[in-house]
Amino acid sequence: PEVRRGLAVEKELNIVAQGQRVNVDHLVDLVKQNQSILDQMRDNLRQRIVQDIIKIVLKCDKKNTGRLDKDEAQLLALRIRIQLQEYGVEFDEHKFLHVLSSKPTVPRVIGIVQKLIPKYERKKLDRERSNKFTEKVGVKVDDDDDDDD
């Protein structure tokens, strides 16, 4: 009788363990899916910040010269700082103005701002450009070695 009872308990435990394993696997899948969604949300936020700053940059060139004088650059830095505060992002106006001082042009500022796009997004864009080029010259590029996930 005890052997039979032991086998019955073992059978019940196996059923519970199998059920729990499915739940654990499902939970792990949900966690991975959640991480992916969070990554997408962060990327969307970064891209929105970049777009907002580019709008500010374009509005700061009052004379439409493509260059920013000292007053326009300082006003731009202030507006960027205020905009980034809304997102909880710190911005060092002094460093920005120092970098900008050597070549204060609108395209340069936009280039600096675009570097805010995450590294993996730039890699993706570079890979797409590379693929377009290699298609023209008939070379195949293997993208299976994605190490930026």
Side-chain angles (χ1 to χ4, degrees), residues 9-27:
V9 169
E10 183 181 349
K11 185 177 179 181
E12 285 181 41
L13 286 174
N14 281 333
I15 291 170
V16 169
Q18 288 174 353
Q20 291 297 320
R21 185 67 199 159
V22 170
N23 290 338
V24 169
D25 289 342
H26 183 65
L27 184 60

Side-chain angles (χ1 to χ4, degrees), residues 46-81:
R46 285 183 185 107
Q47 289 183 23
R48 180 165 182 185
I49 290 170
V50 169
Q51 290 173 358
D52 288 351
I53 294 174
I54 287 174
K55 286 178 190 174
I56 292 169
V57 170
L58 295 174
K59 288 180 182 178
C60 274
D61 184 19
K62 300 281 185 197
K63 301 169 193 165
N64 271 342
T65 60
R67 294 189 58 80
L68 300 170
D69 62 30
K70 187 175 181 177
D71 292 335
E72 288 173 328
Q74 288 177 340
L75 181 62
L76 173 63
L78 176 63
R79 287 182 176 170
I80 290 173
R81 182 175 55 84

Side-chain angles (χ1 to χ4, degrees), residues 75-130:
L75 181 62
L76 173 63
L78 176 63
R79 287 182 176 170
I80 290 173
R81 182 175 55 84
I82 291 169
Q83 181 66 37
L84 291 178
Q85 280 178 344
E86 290 181 26
Y87 294 109
V89 176
E90 292 184 25
F91 177 69
D92 188 333
E93 291 176 65
H94 299 295
K95 284 183 182 178
F96 176 78
L97 290 170
H98 178 73
V99 168
L100 193 60
S101 66
S102 65
K103 187 178 176 187
T105 64
V106 171
R108 178 147 190 248
V109 175
I110 291 174
I112 291 168
V113 169
Q114 286 177 330
K115 289 180 182 175
L116 297 175
I117 296 175
K119 184 178 178 181
Y120 65 88
E121 186 65 26
R122 285 198 307 269
K123 279 186 177 182
K124 183 177 156 185
L125 292 172
D126 290 344
R127 190 179 324 133
E128 288 171 2
R129 288 184 191 130
S130 175

